[in-house]
Amino acid sequence: MTPHALIFRRTCNTSDRRTIRWFECELIDDNGARRVRSQAFFSVGEAKSWATAQGYPVDDAGVQEVQ
């Protein structure tokens, strides 16, 4: 399997009615998939750049929505 990454958009609504959005990466290779929750990115470009630097190219198929 070719290593690659998926990007997930996360959204959280705070108690004072603010909406916070960020992106997380899931790195996928022969050993399985692992979500990197310790890295929060504020743009898709930033997340793609980080994943590519880790050796996991990002497919341009889109961003997955997660609540």
Side-chain angles (χ1 to χ4, degrees), residues 12-58:
C12 177
N13 295 316
T14 65
S15 60
D16 59 351
R17 299 177 191 251
R18 291 181 294 151
T19 300
I20 302 170
R21 291 184 182 91
W22 69 96
F23 299 89
E24 293 179 350
C25 290
E26 183 173 277
L27 307 178
I28 303 166
D29 57 21
D30 290 334
N31 297 324
R34 66 185 188 281
R35 180 81 56 94
V36 183
R37 296 181 191 274
S38 62
Q39 295 283 336
F41 305 100
F42 294 102
S43 72
V44 172
E46 183 183 15
K48 283 183 178 183
S49 177
W50 180 85
T52 301
Q54 303 301 310
Y56 293 83
V58 178

